[in-house]
Amino acid sequence: MSGRNGKRNLDIFKREETDMSVQDEVIYQIYPKSFYDTSGQGTGTLKGITKKLDYLQSLGITTLWLSPIFPSPMKDNGYDISDYRSVDPRFGTLNDLDTLIEKAHDKGMKIMLDLVFNHTSDQHPWFQKALQDPQSPYHDYYIFQPGPEEPNNLRSVFGGSTWQKVEGRGEYYFHAFSAAQPDLNWANPKVRDEMAQIVEFWKSHGIEAFRIDAINFIKKPEKWKSITPDGPDGRGKCTRVVRNAPGMEIYLQELADRCFEQGKIITVGETAGLPYEALPKFIGDNGIFNMVFDFKAADLDIVSGDEWFSRINWTTPDLKERIEQSQMAMQQAGWAANFLENHDQPRVTTKYLREHQDNLQAKKMLAMLQMMLRGTPFLFQGQELGMVNFERTSPDQFDDLSSIDQYHRAQEAGFSDQQALHFANLRSRDNGRVPFPWDDSPNVGFTTGTPWLEINHEAKARNLNAKAALDNPESLFYFYKKLIALRKENETLKNGSIRFIKNTSPDLIVYVRESEEKPNKESKNQNERFYVICSFSDQPQNLELPAENKIRKIFGNRPSALRQESNTISLEPFECLLLQENA
Ligand code: NOJ
């Protein structure tokens, strides 16, 4: 395996150079810190991921997205990178990553790396050099503004000013996230060149997929004016100025032209708040990425992604509307990236299901809702187990810096300590980041040491873990597995168009996937139509299906066969159905 100079022969990590299709992918996000620890240090390792490849393969996963595994002071859990070309010792070595890539390839899986290109860590040598010497070329890698006052009143995503004073110098630097994450200056061609070289470096290690973090923050204004305040702190959200700013696509197109070889590399951009009208620049035939994440449905429970305490009393029709708008916009422009959970979101069971309604049938219904949509499904670790949020009783129990900020901001906005804690609990990013439960042992089979983050006691009490799921043929795990298999086997479920059925009972979300060809009565089975029916109601429901031909049940979360006397379908509480109509 080792070549000359002890260097690994990287050619063996390359898969055969065949064109890959993003439509075939089912992507699973791993939060490496919390997946599986082989070191006993209480932190997940790359070797741990390699050990669990069989589990992921058996679910039907094609690509593993690893949240950042690069050296980092972990102020924002790896989203503060201090070296883009290496592996943090907590996770292992570059050799371990090469082995993971190789073993994943052996099983027909790809690895997707998470590139944090809007900012670096403040410990990155570029930033350190910029701080030490304002004459150094690295000073222009970042965004510095002269003092003595803060250049403007922008509030960072994690709270407080976006401007951090440089000690001993009359200048400030800009950070959209925490002060430990100084923003890079993408207007500098040298920065853009560095980014392209990093992509090429990882491609040479056999990486075929990239998720690109906060990439819609890279275009900064010419002048840093203050904006109308939107909070009691007198500040305005920086997202109003530095997110989705026109012109960012020019920098990104340059990166895409240099590095994102069509059909060889899979890319997904994190573009919260991107207006649908802008999509054609970002996805589709002439787009920069294969897919982008749209957060409009994920964030329906809060007024703005930046303020967790501004809650919305949403309804199922609201959810349906957001999913429909997103799907239709994505369909018009290109291909979608569909997710219910990720490392920044609470567990979907706690978000989309009402209190005491997070039962197995309801969780299966959510699985069908997501997996049959048009686009590439992304699962977040533990979603397949039906993980739930876990209520912390003190702000000190949070690791997530945004939970702590939100707790204080809710207090400042006039909420009681208890309410503030409740809001932080509902949305805390720690909900997803807890150690993955492999079994029901005290440390849930995650580590032999002390876990870096408290385990999810609620999940433990409910026996939510991989072992229990694998032992039970009726578990959510096998339901996801079947949905993934159905999607893989059927062209229409994979590539067919999507439209939503209107005028159903308000608690139902019903959509249609159909093959592109026009119905042709003579040739049977050529044109397919599927109905996906999801009930969010804890009561029985009826649905009048606008079907013209015979329908049959393909799959669902209830054992009952479909009674076929008429097009009226009776649904049990939280029932989901996949029906097929042959035109
Ligand atoms: C988005 C990432 O998903 C999140 O976890 C991170 O804190 C910010 N970008 C900053 O990198």
Side-chain angles (χ1 to χ4, degrees):
M1 185 169 298
S2 293
R4 276 191 299 158
N5 307 329
K7 275 200 166 171
R8 299 187 43 145
N9 174 1
L10 296 174
D11 282 349
I12 61 162
F13 300 120
K14 292 226 172 99
R15 280 151 49 99
E16 221 176 290
E17 294 255 324
T18 51
D19 270 11
M20 56 175 92
S21 156
V22 72
Q23 281 85 353
D24 294 331
E25 298 296 325
V26 180
I27 302 180
Y28 186 97
Q29 183 188 355
I30 291 182
Y31 200 65
K33 229 178 154 181
S34 297
F35 194 58
Y36 185 56
D37 176 20
T38 47
S39 70
Q41 286 171 14
T43 305
T45 57
L46 291 172
K47 282 190 173 134
I49 300 172
T50 306
K51 268 211 154 141
K52 297 295 183 183
L53 285 177
D54 285 343
Y55 170 82
L56 298 160
Q57 188 186 32
S58 85
L59 189 55
I61 301 304
T62 61
T63 293
L64 305 178
W65 156 18
L66 311 185
S67 275
I69 39 85
F70 314 102
S72 164
M74 298 281 164
K75 288 281 163 49
D76 188 21
N77 277 320
Y79 286 89
D80 46 327
I81 297 175
S82 54
D83 177 0
Y84 286 99
R85 288 184 172 79
S86 182
V87 166
D88 192 284
R90 290 176 186 84
F91 299 129
T93 61
L94 190 53
N95 228 31
D96 295 339
L97 180 59
D98 287 336
T99 305
L100 171 59
I101 297 168
E102 182 191 356
K103 300 279 182 216
H105 283 174
D106 288 349
K107 293 185 186 296
M109 290 188 266
K110 296 179 272 298
I111 301 294
M112 170 184 272
L113 290 187
D114 203 330
L115 299 177
V116 186
F117 275 181
N118 173 65
H119 43 267
T120 66
S121 157
D122 61 352
Q123 300 306 309
H124 194 291
W126 298 338
F127 190 67
Q128 286 299 315
K129 285 181 191 146
L131 280 186
Q132 280 151 21
D133 177 7
Q135 303 310 319
S136 121
Y138 294 105
H139 193 259
D140 197 31
Y141 273 38
Y142 296 89
I143 298 160
F144 287 91
Q145 286 285 303
E149 300 298 323
E150 279 184 29
N152 64 12
N153 68 341
L154 295 189
R155 183 190 311 112
S156 76
V157 174
F158 294 149
S161 173
T162 52
W163 297 101
Q164 179 71 27
K165 194 163 178 13
V166 181
E167 280 315 314
R169 265 210 319 258
E171 59 175 3
Y172 286 81
Y173 69 85
F174 179 85
H175 57 91
F177 296 88
S178 80
Q181 295 161 298
D183 280 45
L184 283 162
N185 175 19
W186 274 68
N188 181 349
K190 285 195 193 131
V191 167
R192 305 202 297 272
D193 190 50
E194 297 273 9
M195 300 295 113
Q197 285 184 38
I198 292 163
V199 174
E200 291 306 320
F201 173 81
W202 287 113
K203 277 162 65 181
S204 77
H205 275 259
I207 293 291
E208 296 143 303
F210 298 98
R211 180 252 188 197
I212 316 202
D213 183 74
I215 200 60
N216 53 345
F217 282 75
I218 59 172
K219 181 77 174 67
K220 305 299 193 291
E222 299 273 303
K223 292 212 160 62
W224 290 100
K225 289 189 288 210
S226 279
I227 58 172
T228 317
D230 50 32
D233 57 358
R235 300 189 184 280
K237 291 174 204 151
C238 71
T239 47
R240 288 164 51 198
V241 177
V242 297
R243 198 173 76 172
N244 298 315
M248 64 175 179
E249 67 281 359
I250 300 171
Y251 300 148
L252 291 174
Q253 191 63 58
E254 184 187 303
L255 182 70
D257 291 345
R258 276 185 72 171
C259 307
F260 302 165
E261 297 159 88
Q262 277 297 330
K264 307 260 188 287
I265 294 291
I266 291 172
T267 54
V268 55
E270 192 202 25
T271 54
L274 186 71
Y276 291 143
E277 309 83 74
L279 278 177
K281 286 186 194 145
F282 291 87
I283 58 171
D285 289 344
N286 302 313
I288 293 159
F289 304 107
N290 292 122
M291 307 169 269
V292 291
F293 289 123
D294 174 24
F295 291 85
K296 297 199 182 62
D299 286 344
L300 96 161
D301 59 325
I302 41 177
V303 174
S304 137
D306 301 345
E307 283 168 357
W308 297 347
F309 45 88
S310 302
R311 311 276 325 162
I312 290 180
N313 201 9
W314 60 275
T315 62
T316 309
D318 296 335
L319 175 61
K320 176 180 173 182
E321 191 185 316
R322 289 193 183 210
I323 295 177
E324 178 174 359
Q325 280 174 358
S326 179
Q327 284 281 300
M328 300 326 277
M330 294 288 174
Q331 173 161 267
Q332 211 183 348
W335 190 245
N338 300 319
F339 68 97
L340 293 178
E341 294 184 3
N342 65 34
H343 65 293
D344 293 330
Q345 292 283 327
R347 294 297 182 172
V348 68
T349 47
T350 313
K351 187 168 62 181
Y352 286 175
L353 301 174
R354 311 287 172 181
E355 230 177 311
H356 310 303
Q357 293 190 341
D358 53 354
N359 56 64
L360 181 60
Q361 302 314 332
K363 290 178 183 181
K364 288 182 175 175
M365 180 275 292
L366 290 178
M368 185 178 283
L369 175 71
Q370 179 196 1
M371 300 306 289
M372 296 292 106
L373 289 173
R374 180 181 173 280
T376 296
F378 284 71
L379 275 91
F380 179 67
Q381 66 178 46
Q383 185 184 330
E384 75 282 17
L385 305 177
M387 288 290 278
V388 291
N389 278 8
F390 145 60
E391 197 81 18
R392 284 148 178 96
T393 50
S394 150
D396 302 337
Q397 278 171 287
F398 292 112
D399 170 80
D400 173 14
L401 45 94
S402 59
S403 305
I404 298 159
D405 169 59
Q406 292 288 327
Y407 174 75
H408 293 304
R409 295 228 341 258
Q411 284 175 319
E412 278 159 28
F415 293 101
S416 70
D417 294 0
Q418 219 172 356
Q419 282 169 318
L421 192 62
H422 176 61
F423 296 139
N425 265 311
L426 281 177
R427 270 265 150 188
S428 176
R429 306 192 301 174
D430 289 336
N431 285 311
R433 299 175 180 192
V434 290
F436 186 96
W438 291 101
D439 59 36
D440 64 357
S441 62
N443 283 336
V444 294
F446 163 68
T447 180
T448 52
T450 308
W452 74 277
L453 183 68
E454 199 174 342
I455 62 150
N456 182 330
H457 301 292
E458 181 63 27
K460 190 158 189 340
R462 297 195 199 186
N463 200 30
L464 298 175
N465 60 66
K467 182 172 183 310
L470 293 174
D471 287 348
N472 174 7
E474 298 304 318
S475 71
L476 184 65
F477 177 94
Y478 290 113
F479 197 79
Y480 268 109
K481 181 176 167 125
K482 176 74 180 173
L483 288 167
I484 291 171
L486 281 166
R487 192 183 174 280
K488 275 190 190 164
E489 285 155 14
N490 187 285
E491 252 328 284
T492 305
L493 289 177
K494 204 164 41 175
N495 282 321
S497 63
I498 189 165
R499 65 186 162 85
F500 286 72
I501 305 258
K502 311 215 183 278
N503 301 325
T504 66
S505 134
D507 282 322
L508 301 182
I509 298 183
V510 185
Y511 59 85
V512 182
R513 301 292 314 276
E514 49 202 339
S515 52
E516 300 287 335
E517 302 96 72
K518 291 266 170 294
N520 172 357
K521 287 263 146 69
E522 272 113 70
S523 53
K524 274 195 168 172
N525 294 333
Q526 244 196 3
N527 306 297
E528 274 183 317
R529 182 176 296 149
F530 290 93
Y531 294 90
V532 180
I533 304 168
C534 297
S535 172
F536 278 73
S537 175
D538 59 357
Q539 301 297 314
Q541 297 284 323
N542 282 328
L543 170 71
E544 203 55 50
L545 208 62
E548 296 148 16
N549 302 286
K550 268 201 166 339
I551 46 175
R552 68 188 177 102
K553 176 176 168 181
I554 302 293
F555 193 45
N557 61 354
R558 301 276 179 181
S560 58
L562 187 70
R563 289 173 298 282
Q564 242 278 194
E565 296 95 54
S566 74
N567 275 353
T568 306
I569 318 268
S570 348
L571 298 157
E572 292 180 49
F574 300 110
E575 184 159 0
C576 64
L577 279 171
L578 175 66
L579 306 179
Q580 186 178 24
E581 173 187 6
N582 280 344

